[in-house]
Amino acid sequence: MTVGDAPGWSTGDAGTLVHGYLAAQVAELTAHEPGVRARDPEAVHDMRVATRRLRSALSTFRPVLRRERTDPLRAALRRWGQVLGEVRDVDVSHAALAALLDEEPAGLVLGPVRDRLGADRAAALDAAHEHVVAELDGLAAAHLRADLAALVADPPLAPEAARPAAEVLPARARREFRRLRHALRAARDEPGGPARDHELHEARKAARRARYAAEVLVPAAGQPAERSARDAQRVQDLLGAHQDAVVERAVLRRLAAEATATGESAFSYGRLHEQAHERAVDAERRLPRAARRVTDPDRLDWTR
């Protein structure tokens, strides 16, 4: 049985399916701008996710779209995702470090650890939010809004877009899962240290792209595509926990040095650093099983 003959597969064309997904993400991105301006952390997260989904779809399904219009848009979305990421990463690290500190026995928290941590993350968050608002008010964001509106109103469909979705899109999605497999192997082959952390972070990005590629197929392929998206998300979540721990440890090392320079004890920062390290180790321990599932060829058969 070919994908095009598979029960449950939509008979619609590739362009319609991709355009529908893009339009939904543009609507999401636009809807969360007021919340981002109001410093709502969930709005920042949701807007960042919509940005990533748009950029990923424009990349994965390039044959369906005219690249002279979509390549500049991908570059603009990449920059916007980085700006939003500044806010989101600070917010996540603050919450995670505060939670680690809450787990510490009171007698082992030496010095003004909570005050130093809170002041550091609050200052970083203020700076990141100021940057976001300045970007939202800038010319680049105005151009991006106009380009996204044009993407929805006048999609730059290539000739390939007229072909049945089942003949075009699954192969492009599988390509992202192959890239994920290669990224996981590259990470596995690194013995450790910063180089391994980097490869694991790259694998996280590959898992995210694979997840979003499978999501595009859901309206046509249904449950098999949903399953693949879930498999990719499990890997993404584990690698996200690992990367969060990498960031948290870097913050703690810096704060420990600042505390030492002012005569404060660095003891508690070392304990928190070890806790963050243990979280990273636990994520890596759970990764192989999730990796086997997401790269299983049978689970990438969206005809069943």
Side-chain angles (χ1 to χ4, degrees):
M1 179 186 293
T2 66
V3 175
D5 297 329
W9 259 89
S10 165
T11 57
D13 61 72
T16 297
L17 193 61
V18 172
H19 176 244
Y21 184 84
L22 294 174
Q25 300 314 313
V26 170
E28 274 287 301
L29 189 153
T30 303
H32 293 296
E33 181 172 333
V36 171
R37 289 182 178 276
R39 299 183 62 141
D40 178 356
E42 289 308 308
V44 173
H45 172 67
D46 292 342
M47 193 178 199
R48 189 186 188 193
V49 169
T51 300
R52 286 174 161 175
R53 282 182 165 134
L54 276 167
R55 183 167 169 251
S56 179
L58 292 174
S59 175
T60 299
F61 302 107
R62 276 180 288 188
V64 176
L65 304 162
R66 295 189 182 278
R67 294 185 61 177
E68 64 269 20
R69 277 184 58 188
T70 60
D71 281 358
L73 187 51
R74 285 174 55 214
L77 288 166
R78 181 176 186 271
R79 169 166 169 69
W80 185 236
Q82 290 171 338
V83 172
L84 290 167
E86 294 173 9
V87 178
R88 182 63 180 173
D89 291 347
V90 173
D91 197 48
V92 169
S93 66
H94 189 188
L97 290 170
L100 289 178
L101 191 55
D102 287 342
E103 295 172 5
E104 283 288 275
L108 295 179
V109 179
L110 306 184
V113 179
R114 192 178 298 277
D115 289 344
R116 180 176 290 278
L117 173 61
D120 178 86
R121 296 292 81 191
L125 194 59
D126 285 344
H129 269 292
E130 287 178 10
H131 188 199
V132 165
V133 173
E135 289 288 332
L136 282 171
D137 291 338
L139 191 59
H143 286 159
L144 178 58
R145 291 186 196 95
D147 290 342
L148 290 174
L151 179 72
V152 175
D154 181 26
L157 299 178
E160 197 81 349
R163 292 178 56 196
E167 294 179 6
V168 178
L169 304 187
R172 297 297 300 182
R174 285 196 190 92
R175 192 164 171 262
E176 298 297 348
F177 280 85
R178 287 196 300 272
R179 287 180 171 178
L180 172 56
R181 182 174 66 247
H182 295 324
L184 288 167
R185 286 177 178 172
R188 183 194 61 196
D189 292 342
E190 280 292 341
R196 181 175 174 84
D197 291 341
H198 172 76
E199 294 298 341
L200 287 168
H201 186 44
E202 291 300 306
R204 177 194 185 186
K205 291 188 281 188
R208 187 169 59 232
R209 289 192 298 267
R211 171 191 169 190
Y212 294 161
E215 286 179 352
V216 175
L217 304 185
V218 168
Q223 193 275 332
E226 289 179 353
R227 180 188 62 201
S228 293
R230 286 195 302 270
D231 289 344
Q233 185 174 4
R234 288 189 188 98
V235 172
Q236 179 189 340
D237 288 347
L238 288 171
L239 293 172
H242 182 277
Q243 178 61 20
D244 289 346
V246 170
V247 172
E248 291 155 19
R249 283 150 58 197
V251 171
L252 289 165
R253 287 194 297 271
R254 178 173 53 77
L255 292 179
E258 292 175 2
T260 300
T262 60
E264 298 170 12
S265 171
F267 173 80
S268 298
Y269 300 101
R271 283 184 56 87
L272 295 176
H273 188 282
E274 181 59 25
Q275 287 187 49
H277 173 69
E278 290 175 0
R279 287 175 52 196
V281 169
D282 180 65
E284 284 199 61
R285 179 183 59 79
R286 295 161 58 194
L287 180 61
R289 181 182 179 191
R292 285 193 297 272
R293 288 173 65 88
V294 79
T295 57
D296 182 349
D298 289 341
R299 296 179 72 83
L300 299 180
D301 181 0
W302 296 309
T303 66
R304 296 187 293 181

